[in-house]
Amino acid sequence: MKRIAVLLAFMFISADSAAFFGPDCDSASDCMTKAENLSNQNRLADAIDFYREACDEYRNKNGCYQAGIHYQFGLGKRNKAKNYYVKACRYGYVPACHLKEI
């Protein structure tokens, strides 16, 4: 019985490891594709994780901008949105430069 409980616990942790350990992307475009798919499913909190990884790990200016948009309009977190607009501007996404003063 103990072995079954351990096996079930391991299966549960493995199935949800992406949510626990963070997103898993191989490249900026991989992160962006996963984020867009989640955003289209209206899973904004999950999508933001992938946009953030595209921005923070791969310095993807569109990932930064999309993280800002999702924070501002999806989750209502203006301070976090502002931080990602600043990064998007720094990485060369000019439209974000006008939004960093929100």
XYZ file of all heavy atoms in Angstrom:
809
model
N 0.820 -1.195 0.000
C 0.000 0.000 0.000
C 0.866 1.263 0.000
O 0.551 2.230 -0.652
C -0.920 -0.036 1.234
C -1.940 1.050 1.229
S -3.093 0.700 -0.103
C -4.362 1.803 0.276
N 1.969 1.191 0.755
C 2.870 2.321 0.841
C 3.498 2.617 -0.524
O 3.667 3.766 -0.910
C 3.945 2.020 1.876
C 4.622 3.205 2.456
C 5.611 2.744 3.510
C 5.710 3.758 4.614
N 6.704 3.367 5.600
N 3.836 1.564 -1.258
C 4.435 1.738 -2.578
C 3.476 2.414 -3.546
O 3.869 3.231 -4.365
C 4.867 0.387 -3.147
C 6.061 -0.177 -2.455
C 6.461 -1.479 -3.088
N 7.537 -2.079 -2.322
C 8.008 -3.269 -2.524
N 7.488 -4.015 -3.484
N 8.978 -3.743 -1.797
N 2.216 2.063 -3.456
C 1.213 2.668 -4.335
C 1.085 4.153 -4.035
O 1.018 4.978 -4.947
C -0.152 1.946 -4.190
C -0.032 0.531 -4.740
C -1.243 2.719 -4.915
C -1.249 -0.328 -4.488
N 1.080 4.520 -2.778
C 0.980 5.934 -2.405
C 2.182 6.714 -2.916
O 2.042 7.830 -3.426
C 0.854 6.075 -0.888
N 3.368 6.148 -2.797
C 4.571 6.811 -3.282
C 4.519 6.946 -4.799
O 4.842 8.000 -5.357
C 5.840 6.049 -2.833
C 7.082 6.583 -3.537
C 6.003 6.117 -1.327
N 4.095 5.906 -5.486
C 3.982 5.943 -6.939
C 2.974 6.996 -7.382
O 3.240 7.762 -8.310
C 3.591 4.564 -7.479
C 3.441 4.451 -8.988
C 4.765 4.759 -9.683
C 2.968 3.070 -9.374
N 1.828 7.057 -6.729
C 0.816 8.059 -7.073
C 1.328 9.469 -6.820
O 1.098 10.377 -7.617
C -0.472 7.808 -6.290
C -1.274 6.585 -6.727
C -2.456 6.359 -5.782
C -1.767 6.742 -8.152
N 2.033 9.667 -5.732
C 2.595 10.981 -5.424
C 3.606 11.382 -6.491
O 3.617 12.521 -6.960
C 3.245 10.979 -4.047
N 4.454 10.453 -6.911
C 5.438 10.730 -7.946
C 4.760 11.077 -9.269
O 5.164 12.004 -9.958
C 6.378 9.532 -8.132
C 7.380 9.752 -9.218
C 8.470 10.572 -9.000
C 7.225 9.152 -10.456
C 9.404 10.794 -10.011
C 8.144 9.368 -11.463
C 9.234 10.188 -11.237
N 3.717 10.344 -9.617
C 2.992 10.605 -10.860
C 2.346 11.985 -10.815
O 2.374 12.717 -11.796
C 1.941 9.520 -11.108
C 2.549 8.191 -11.503
S 1.357 6.841 -11.599
C 0.093 7.512 -12.619
N 1.784 12.363 -9.665
C 1.151 13.669 -9.525
C 2.188 14.780 -9.673
O 1.983 15.744 -10.385
C 0.440 13.776 -8.177
C -0.132 15.142 -7.917
C -1.270 15.555 -8.574
C 0.489 16.013 -7.036
C -1.796 16.813 -8.351
C -0.023 17.272 -6.800
C -1.172 17.672 -7.463
N 3.319 14.627 -9.020
C 4.366 15.636 -9.094
C 4.912 15.731 -10.507
O 5.127 16.818 -11.036
C 5.499 15.334 -8.088
C 4.979 15.552 -6.671
C 6.723 16.190 -8.354
C 5.917 15.059 -5.588
N 5.121 14.617 -11.183
C 5.641 14.624 -12.543
C 4.676 15.290 -13.509
O 5.093 16.041 -14.385
C 5.913 13.197 -13.018
O 6.928 12.622 -12.245
N 3.401 15.025 -13.340
C 2.404 15.586 -14.248
C 2.300 17.094 -14.099
O 2.001 17.803 -15.049
C 1.038 14.947 -13.993
N 2.573 17.602 -12.900
C 2.424 19.023 -12.654
C 3.773 19.716 -12.468
O 3.842 20.811 -11.952
C 1.540 19.234 -11.423
C 0.921 20.618 -11.387
O 0.712 21.194 -12.465
O 0.673 21.125 -10.279
N 4.846 19.096 -12.903
C 6.171 19.651 -12.651
C 6.391 20.979 -13.372
O 7.090 21.844 -12.870
C 7.260 18.658 -13.030
O 7.224 18.386 -14.404
N 5.786 21.181 -14.543
C 5.959 22.446 -15.249
C 5.386 23.597 -14.436
O 5.968 24.669 -14.367
C 5.299 22.388 -16.620
N 4.238 23.364 -13.802
C 3.645 24.410 -12.982
C 4.473 24.653 -11.725
O 4.593 25.775 -11.252
C 2.214 24.031 -12.604
N 5.088 23.610 -11.187
C 5.856 23.733 -9.951
C 7.243 24.307 -10.198
O 7.706 25.171 -9.473
C 5.953 22.373 -9.256
C 6.643 22.431 -7.931
C 5.994 22.968 -6.834
C 7.933 21.966 -7.783
C 6.619 23.038 -5.601
C 8.574 22.031 -6.558
C 7.910 22.562 -5.465
N 7.913 23.826 -11.211
C 9.288 24.231 -11.466
C 9.403 25.365 -12.483
O 10.487 25.818 -12.774
C 10.120 23.034 -11.951
C 10.274 21.981 -10.901
C 9.611 20.782 -10.998
C 11.078 22.204 -9.798
C 9.752 19.807 -10.025
C 11.229 21.245 -8.819
C 10.564 20.042 -8.930
N 8.321 25.820 -13.042
C 8.359 26.899 -14.011
C 8.270 26.380 -15.431
O 8.302 25.188 -15.678
N 8.164 27.311 -16.369
C 8.017 26.917 -17.768
C 9.277 26.265 -18.307
O 10.367 26.465 -17.792
C 7.724 28.239 -18.468
C 8.241 29.283 -17.566
C 8.179 28.736 -16.175
N 9.095 25.509 -19.351
C 10.210 24.807 -19.962
C 10.213 25.115 -21.458
O 9.343 24.642 -22.186
C 10.075 23.305 -19.714
C 11.263 22.513 -20.231
O 12.356 23.088 -20.337
O 11.080 21.332 -20.525
N 11.169 25.932 -21.879
C 11.284 26.310 -23.287
C 12.695 26.035 -23.759
O 13.646 26.145 -22.998
C 11.032 27.797 -23.477
S 9.537 28.426 -22.756
N 12.808 25.736 -25.045
C 14.118 25.509 -25.647
C 14.668 26.749 -26.335
O 15.846 26.814 -26.636
C 14.037 24.366 -26.666
C 13.672 23.049 -26.002
O 14.081 22.834 -24.848
O 12.975 22.252 -26.639
N 13.788 27.713 -26.595
C 14.195 28.933 -27.292
C 13.139 30.005 -27.055
O 12.055 29.719 -26.541
C 14.323 28.668 -28.795
O 13.053 28.354 -29.341
N 13.452 31.223 -27.471
C 12.477 32.308 -27.341
C 11.224 32.014 -28.159
O 10.106 32.223 -27.683
C 13.099 33.625 -27.781
N 11.411 31.500 -29.370
C 10.235 31.215 -30.207
C 9.394 30.090 -29.623
O 8.168 30.114 -29.718
C 10.642 30.910 -31.646
O 11.408 29.738 -31.715
N 10.026 29.117 -28.986
C 9.297 28.044 -28.310
C 8.464 28.614 -27.165
O 7.291 28.285 -27.006
C 10.280 26.986 -27.810
C 9.608 25.788 -27.165
O 8.518 25.387 -27.625
O 10.185 25.237 -26.205
N 9.072 29.494 -26.371
C 8.349 30.142 -25.271
C 7.157 30.943 -25.802
O 6.062 30.890 -25.250
C 9.265 31.087 -24.500
S 10.501 30.314 -23.468
N 7.405 31.700 -26.877
C 6.350 32.543 -27.437
C 5.200 31.707 -27.979
O 4.035 32.049 -27.776
C 6.925 33.453 -28.526
C 7.908 34.486 -28.011
S 7.185 35.636 -26.815
C 6.088 36.553 -27.899
N 5.512 30.610 -28.649
C 4.465 29.740 -29.173
C 3.625 29.160 -28.048
O 2.382 29.165 -28.106
C 5.080 28.606 -30.019
O 5.785 29.186 -31.119
C 4.017 27.658 -30.534
N 4.288 28.668 -27.009
C 3.559 28.107 -25.868
C 2.718 29.172 -25.179
O 1.567 28.925 -24.807
C 4.531 27.465 -24.885
C 5.156 26.198 -25.430
C 6.183 25.613 -24.483
C 6.768 24.326 -25.077
N 7.779 23.721 -24.209
N 3.271 30.367 -25.028
C 2.536 31.461 -24.389
C 1.303 31.850 -25.193
O 0.218 32.041 -24.630
C 3.448 32.666 -24.207
N 1.461 31.961 -26.498
C 0.338 32.336 -27.355
C -0.763 31.285 -27.315
O -1.952 31.627 -27.281
C 0.819 32.580 -28.779
C 1.654 33.837 -28.889
C 2.450 33.945 -30.178
O 2.283 33.102 -31.081
O 3.265 34.876 -30.270
N -0.393 30.015 -27.314
C -1.394 28.954 -27.227
C -2.161 29.035 -25.904
O -3.385 28.899 -25.885
C -0.747 27.579 -27.374
C -0.286 27.307 -28.784
O -0.769 27.898 -29.741
N 0.674 26.408 -28.929
N -1.449 29.259 -24.814
C -2.108 29.377 -23.504
C -2.972 30.630 -23.430
O -4.067 30.603 -22.873
C -1.067 29.378 -22.390
C -0.366 28.050 -22.164
C 0.873 28.229 -21.305
C -1.323 27.042 -21.523
N -2.480 31.712 -23.999
C -3.259 32.956 -24.008
C -4.551 32.779 -24.804
O -5.611 33.256 -24.384
C -2.424 34.084 -24.606
O -3.105 35.298 -24.535
N -4.468 32.076 -25.921
C -5.666 31.812 -26.729
C -6.675 30.939 -25.988
O -7.868 30.985 -26.288
C -5.289 31.159 -28.053
C -4.599 32.123 -28.982
O -4.726 33.343 -28.864
N -3.820 31.600 -29.915
N -6.189 30.145 -25.033
C -7.074 29.322 -24.200
C -7.547 30.083 -22.968
O -8.188 29.531 -22.102
C -6.342 28.050 -23.752
C -5.954 27.124 -24.855
C -5.059 25.999 -24.362
O -5.053 25.653 -23.184
N -4.292 25.420 -25.262
N -7.198 31.374 -22.900
C -7.548 32.249 -21.786
C -6.907 31.807 -20.469
O -7.451 32.047 -19.402
C -9.066 32.390 -21.646
C -9.454 33.761 -21.147
O -8.693 34.706 -21.287
N -10.625 33.851 -20.558
N -5.744 31.169 -20.561
C -4.969 30.764 -19.383
C -3.841 31.776 -19.201
O -2.675 31.497 -19.418
C -4.440 29.350 -19.565
C -5.547 28.299 -19.609
C -5.048 26.920 -19.907
N -3.960 26.523 -19.025
C -3.213 25.449 -19.244
N -3.440 24.677 -20.294
N -2.226 25.144 -18.421
N -4.237 33.002 -18.815
C -3.318 34.127 -18.800
C -2.167 33.953 -17.822
O -1.021 34.297 -18.137
C -4.078 35.418 -18.494
C -5.209 35.765 -19.465
C -5.834 37.093 -19.089
C -4.710 35.786 -20.893
N -2.445 33.455 -16.634
C -1.376 33.283 -15.644
C -0.319 32.307 -16.151
O 0.882 32.519 -15.932
C -1.957 32.822 -14.315
N -0.748 31.260 -16.825
C 0.211 30.297 -17.388
C 0.958 30.918 -18.571
O 2.166 30.707 -18.728
C -0.504 29.025 -17.838
C -1.116 28.252 -16.684
O -0.545 28.295 -15.577
O -2.161 27.611 -16.889
N 0.252 31.672 -19.395
C 0.876 32.314 -20.551
C 1.955 33.291 -20.107
O 3.033 33.352 -20.713
C -0.174 33.032 -21.394
N 1.691 34.035 -19.046
C 2.658 35.018 -18.561
C 3.979 34.346 -18.195
O 5.053 34.901 -18.446
C 2.090 35.812 -17.372
C 1.055 36.822 -17.877
C 3.194 36.534 -16.617
C 0.340 37.562 -16.789
N 3.911 33.157 -17.621
C 5.153 32.461 -17.260
C 6.046 32.263 -18.487
O 7.261 32.449 -18.417
C 4.850 31.106 -16.618
C 4.272 31.232 -15.224
O 4.449 32.297 -14.587
O 3.639 30.263 -14.771
N 5.443 31.895 -19.609
C 6.227 31.673 -20.822
C 6.676 32.992 -21.454
O 7.793 33.087 -21.964
C 5.447 30.820 -21.819
C 5.375 29.379 -21.407
C 4.241 28.863 -20.808
C 6.451 28.533 -21.610
C 4.175 27.531 -20.419
C 6.407 27.206 -21.229
C 5.262 26.700 -20.630
N 5.816 34.026 -21.426
C 6.245 35.334 -21.919
C 7.410 35.857 -21.087
O 8.372 36.402 -21.621
C 5.096 36.348 -21.883
C 4.062 36.161 -22.958
C 2.704 36.103 -22.647
C 4.424 36.064 -24.302
C 1.748 35.950 -23.632
C 3.472 35.900 -25.296
C 2.131 35.853 -24.950
O 1.187 35.703 -25.931
N 7.319 35.686 -19.768
C 8.398 36.130 -18.888
C 9.696 35.386 -19.186
O 10.769 35.982 -19.187
C 8.009 35.940 -17.420
C 7.016 36.966 -16.938
C 6.626 36.819 -15.481
N 7.668 36.229 -14.676
C 7.451 35.343 -13.708
N 6.245 34.950 -13.424
N 8.457 34.861 -13.011
N 9.603 34.085 -19.422
C 10.815 33.333 -19.731
C 11.418 33.797 -21.057
O 12.636 33.948 -21.173
C 10.572 31.828 -19.766
C 11.876 31.071 -19.973
C 11.799 29.591 -19.685
O 10.926 29.156 -18.927
O 12.647 28.875 -20.237
N 10.572 34.047 -22.052
C 11.075 34.559 -23.331
C 11.803 35.887 -23.118
O 12.862 36.126 -23.706
C 9.933 34.733 -24.324
N 11.265 36.711 -22.253
C 11.863 38.011 -21.962
C 13.121 37.881 -21.113
O 14.192 38.360 -21.487
C 10.838 38.887 -21.241
S 11.483 40.488 -20.703
N 12.986 37.238 -19.972
C 14.061 37.208 -18.986
C 15.223 36.299 -19.381
O 16.376 36.629 -19.140
C 13.518 36.792 -17.620
C 12.509 37.786 -17.062
O 12.541 38.966 -17.463
O 11.674 37.379 -16.226
N 14.927 35.170 -19.969
C 15.986 34.218 -20.318
C 16.568 34.446 -21.707
O 17.746 34.209 -21.935
C 15.463 32.780 -20.223
C 15.058 32.363 -18.830
C 16.227 32.333 -17.854
O 17.328 31.908 -18.255
O 16.031 32.763 -16.710
N 15.725 34.882 -22.644
C 16.170 35.003 -24.033
C 16.196 36.450 -24.540
O 16.496 36.684 -25.706
C 15.281 34.152 -24.945
C 15.347 32.682 -24.600
C 14.329 32.060 -23.889
C 16.449 31.919 -24.969
C 14.397 30.713 -23.565
C 16.530 30.578 -24.652
C 15.493 29.982 -23.949
O 15.577 28.649 -23.633
N 15.842 37.399 -23.673
C 15.830 38.823 -24.025
C 14.996 39.107 -25.265
O 15.365 39.897 -26.132
C 17.243 39.352 -24.199
C 18.029 39.308 -22.925
C 19.410 39.844 -23.099
N 20.102 39.755 -21.825
C 20.925 40.668 -21.384
N 21.178 41.728 -22.105
N 21.508 40.507 -20.223
N 13.844 38.461 -25.329
C 12.931 38.624 -26.456
C 12.040 39.831 -26.191
O 11.246 39.830 -25.245
C 12.101 37.348 -26.625
C 11.157 37.429 -27.785
O 10.095 38.031 -27.676
N 11.527 36.831 -28.900
N 12.183 40.862 -27.016
C 11.454 42.111 -26.784
C 9.947 41.935 -26.872
O 9.205 42.546 -26.104
C 11.931 43.195 -27.746
C 11.747 42.866 -29.214
C 12.402 43.911 -30.093
C 12.301 43.517 -31.555
N 13.065 44.429 -32.394
N 9.475 41.086 -27.762
C 8.031 40.852 -27.860
C 7.523 40.080 -26.646
O 6.412 40.311 -26.179
C 7.685 40.127 -29.160
C 6.210 40.168 -29.462
O 5.533 41.141 -29.146
N 5.704 39.103 -30.055
N 8.329 39.169 -26.116
C 7.959 38.460 -24.893
C 7.800 39.421 -23.732
O 6.854 39.320 -22.937
N 8.719 40.392 -23.642
C 8.626 41.414 -22.587
C 7.349 42.235 -22.745
O 6.623 42.479 -21.771
C 9.829 42.345 -22.642
S 11.422 41.567 -22.376
N 7.096 42.660 -23.971
C 5.908 43.474 -24.242
C 4.630 42.705 -23.925
O 3.732 43.230 -23.256
C 5.920 43.927 -25.701
C 4.713 44.724 -26.097
C 4.550 46.022 -25.658
C 3.735 44.173 -26.918
C 3.428 46.767 -26.016
C 2.626 44.900 -27.290
C 2.473 46.203 -26.828
O 1.357 46.915 -27.185
N 4.561 41.456 -24.375
C 3.367 40.657 -24.114
C 3.191 40.375 -22.621
O 2.064 40.340 -22.127
C 3.410 39.349 -24.908
C 3.192 39.526 -26.389
C 1.830 40.125 -26.711
O 0.830 39.822 -26.072
N 1.794 40.990 -27.701
N 4.283 40.173 -21.903
C 4.190 40.000 -20.446
C 3.583 41.255 -19.837
O 2.696 41.174 -18.974
C 5.554 39.703 -19.841
N 4.038 42.422 -20.290
C 3.481 43.683 -19.798
C 2.000 43.817 -20.091
O 1.205 44.182 -19.213
N 1.619 43.523 -21.308
C 0.196 43.598 -21.708
C -0.647 42.664 -20.841
O -1.702 43.044 -20.336
C 0.029 43.238 -23.205
C 0.645 44.318 -24.095
C -1.416 42.975 -23.569
C -0.111 45.630 -24.109
N -0.177 41.434 -20.666
C -0.940 40.459 -19.882
C -1.011 40.843 -18.412
O -2.042 40.656 -17.770
C -0.359 39.056 -20.058
C -0.791 38.394 -21.323
N -0.386 38.831 -22.567
C -1.595 37.338 -21.542
C -0.935 38.069 -23.489
N -1.667 37.149 -22.902
N 0.074 41.390 -17.889
C 0.021 41.853 -16.501
C -0.938 43.030 -16.359
O -1.747 43.066 -15.439
C 1.409 42.271 -16.001
C 2.205 41.157 -15.399
C 3.478 40.866 -15.861
C 1.705 40.386 -14.348
C 4.230 39.842 -15.320
C 2.444 39.356 -13.804
C 3.702 39.094 -14.283
O 4.429 38.074 -13.734
N -0.860 43.991 -17.254
C -1.685 45.186 -17.125
C -3.166 44.908 -17.356
O -4.002 45.266 -16.537
C -1.220 46.272 -18.091
C -2.013 47.558 -17.937
C -1.526 48.667 -18.865
O -0.598 48.480 -19.647
N -2.150 49.817 -18.771
N -3.477 44.280 -18.469
C -4.875 44.131 -18.846
C -5.486 42.799 -18.444
O -6.698 42.698 -18.298
C -5.043 44.352 -20.354
C -4.651 45.740 -20.771
C -3.489 45.970 -21.480
C -5.432 46.823 -20.420
C -3.117 47.250 -21.864
C -5.081 48.115 -20.780
C -3.914 48.329 -21.506
N -4.664 41.778 -18.260
C -5.194 40.473 -17.881
C -5.299 40.279 -16.392
O -6.306 39.805 -15.884
N -4.248 40.682 -15.676
C -4.211 40.441 -14.233
C -4.294 41.719 -13.409
O -4.378 41.653 -12.190
C -2.937 39.669 -13.859
C -2.777 38.307 -14.523
C -1.464 37.664 -14.097
C -3.944 37.390 -14.175
N -4.259 42.872 -14.055
C -4.398 44.133 -13.340
C -3.218 44.481 -12.444
O -3.394 45.125 -11.420
N -2.029 44.068 -12.826
C -0.828 44.355 -12.027
C 0.031 45.371 -12.775
O 0.941 45.018 -13.518
C -0.055 43.064 -11.754
C -0.837 42.086 -10.920
C -0.023 40.851 -10.628
C -0.824 39.901 -9.751
N -0.034 38.723 -9.395
N -0.246 46.645 -12.545
C 0.412 47.707 -13.300
C 1.906 47.798 -13.028
O 2.683 48.087 -13.935
C -0.255 49.042 -13.003
C -1.665 49.110 -13.573
C -2.292 50.411 -13.273
N -1.546 51.458 -13.961
C -1.943 52.712 -14.042
N -3.064 53.074 -13.484
N -1.224 53.606 -14.670
N 2.333 47.601 -11.791
C 3.762 47.710 -11.488
C 4.580 46.660 -12.228
O 5.650 46.955 -12.751
C 4.021 47.604 -9.983
C 3.597 48.862 -9.258
O 3.491 49.928 -9.856
N 3.348 48.743 -7.972
N 4.064 45.437 -12.249
C 4.767 44.377 -12.984
C 4.737 44.670 -14.482
O 5.718 44.434 -15.185
C 4.174 43.012 -12.684
C 4.541 42.507 -11.308
C 4.192 41.057 -11.148
C 4.677 40.580 -9.794
N 4.666 39.139 -9.683
N 3.602 45.177 -14.968
C 3.493 45.529 -16.386
C 4.546 46.568 -16.746
O 5.242 46.433 -17.760
C 2.099 46.053 -16.692
N 4.675 47.572 -15.911
C 5.639 48.647 -16.168
C 7.058 48.095 -16.280
O 7.815 48.478 -17.175
C 5.567 49.688 -15.061
C 6.510 50.830 -15.246
C 6.370 51.844 -14.118
C 7.387 52.961 -14.291
N 7.253 53.977 -13.261
N 7.424 47.186 -15.386
C 8.763 46.593 -15.431
C 9.027 45.895 -16.761
O 10.132 45.991 -17.311
C 8.950 45.600 -14.281
C 8.976 46.280 -12.935
O 9.273 47.461 -12.823
N 8.646 45.534 -11.896
N 8.019 45.196 -17.279
C 8.211 44.487 -18.545
C 8.178 45.439 -19.744
O 8.868 45.207 -20.734
C 7.239 43.319 -18.678
C 7.750 42.155 -17.868
C 7.300 41.915 -16.580
C 8.760 41.336 -18.361
C 7.818 40.883 -15.815
C 9.286 40.301 -17.619
C 8.814 40.082 -16.345
O 9.352 39.064 -15.601
N 7.421 46.532 -19.652
C 7.471 47.539 -20.716
C 8.862 48.179 -20.781
O 9.392 48.433 -21.857
C 6.411 48.617 -20.506
C 4.995 48.163 -20.681
C 3.968 48.701 -19.896
C 4.638 47.205 -21.633
C 2.658 48.307 -20.051
C 3.326 46.796 -21.792
C 2.331 47.350 -21.000
O 1.029 46.963 -21.156
N 9.444 48.439 -19.623
C 10.790 49.020 -19.577
C 11.794 48.077 -20.240
O 12.639 48.495 -21.031
C 11.203 49.346 -18.122
C 12.683 49.679 -18.022
C 10.355 50.491 -17.566
N 11.683 46.786 -19.926
C 12.592 45.808 -20.547
C 12.372 45.754 -22.056
O 13.331 45.707 -22.827
C 12.377 44.415 -19.958
C 12.961 44.241 -18.588
C 12.775 42.809 -18.130
C 13.340 42.588 -16.756
N 13.260 41.172 -16.351
N 11.109 45.744 -22.490
C 10.812 45.692 -23.928
C 11.405 46.912 -24.635
O 11.990 46.787 -25.717
C 9.306 45.614 -24.155
N 11.280 48.064 -24.011
C 11.851 49.289 -24.574
C 13.373 49.173 -24.646
O 13.985 49.487 -25.668
C 11.429 50.479 -23.723
S 12.112 52.055 -24.284
N 13.976 48.705 -23.575
C 15.430 48.552 -23.521
C 15.922 47.601 -24.612
O 17.000 47.784 -25.167
C 15.831 48.022 -22.149
C 17.323 47.981 -21.926
C 17.730 47.489 -20.555
N 16.888 47.979 -19.486
C 16.423 47.220 -18.493
N 16.723 45.940 -18.422
N 15.658 47.732 -17.555
N 15.113 46.573 -24.924
C 15.518 45.591 -25.940
C 15.135 46.017 -27.352
O 15.342 45.274 -28.301
C 14.921 44.221 -25.633
C 15.414 43.611 -24.338
C 14.611 42.734 -23.634
C 16.664 43.902 -23.811
C 15.042 42.158 -22.443
C 17.099 43.339 -22.628
C 16.289 42.471 -21.946
O 16.717 41.906 -20.766
N 14.548 47.218 -27.485
C 14.311 47.761 -28.813
C 12.890 47.750 -29.321
O 12.654 48.039 -30.489
N 11.918 47.445 -28.464
C 10.523 47.463 -28.902
C 9.961 48.857 -28.617
O 9.497 49.148 -27.523
C 9.723 46.372 -28.194
C 8.373 46.114 -28.827
C 8.274 45.375 -29.995
C 7.212 46.613 -28.267
C 7.058 45.146 -30.586
C 5.984 46.381 -28.844
C 5.906 45.651 -30.011
O 4.701 45.416 -30.597
N 10.040 49.749 -29.599
C 9.735 51.170 -29.438
C 8.317 51.436 -28.901
O 8.156 52.296 -28.040
C 10.004 51.931 -30.749
C 9.593 53.398 -30.637
C 11.469 51.801 -31.133
N 7.257 50.747 -29.353
C 5.930 51.043 -28.808
C 5.863 50.884 -27.275
O 5.092 51.580 -26.614
C 5.009 50.024 -29.495
C 5.700 49.713 -30.772
C 7.170 49.749 -30.441
N 6.665 50.015 -26.709
C 6.664 49.826 -25.260
C 7.253 51.021 -24.544
O 6.942 51.266 -23.370
C 7.418 48.558 -24.892
N 8.086 51.791 -25.223
C 8.715 52.960 -24.593
C 7.682 53.988 -24.179
O 7.881 54.721 -23.214
C 9.726 53.586 -25.541
S 11.077 52.480 -25.994
N 6.558 54.033 -24.867
C 5.501 54.976 -24.547
C 4.605 54.470 -23.419
O 3.891 55.243 -22.809
C 4.655 55.263 -25.790
C 5.478 55.751 -26.935
N 6.031 57.012 -26.978
C 5.873 55.130 -28.079
C 6.726 57.150 -28.092
N 6.634 56.042 -28.779
N 4.652 53.171 -23.155
C 3.789 52.577 -22.136
C 4.456 52.464 -20.774
O 3.793 52.194 -19.798
C 3.340 51.181 -22.585
C 2.497 51.157 -23.849
C 2.278 49.723 -24.304
C 1.170 51.861 -23.624
N 5.743 52.673 -20.698
C 6.439 52.481 -19.441
C 6.093 53.525 -18.391
O 6.468 53.407 -17.243
C 7.944 52.399 -19.664
C 8.578 53.659 -20.192
C 10.047 53.429 -20.439
C 10.696 54.741 -20.874
N 12.101 54.573 -21.114
N 5.338 54.541 -18.779
C 4.919 55.601 -17.851
C 3.492 55.396 -17.350
O 2.886 56.345 -16.874
C 5.049 56.968 -18.526
C 6.455 57.291 -18.976
C 7.470 57.279 -17.853
O 7.147 57.692 -16.732
O 8.603 56.826 -18.106
N 2.974 54.189 -17.424
C 1.589 53.937 -17.003
C 1.418 54.111 -15.512
O 2.324 54.064 -14.750
C 1.100 52.535 -17.410
C 1.955 51.465 -16.745
C 1.061 52.404 -18.903
C 1.379 50.090 -16.863
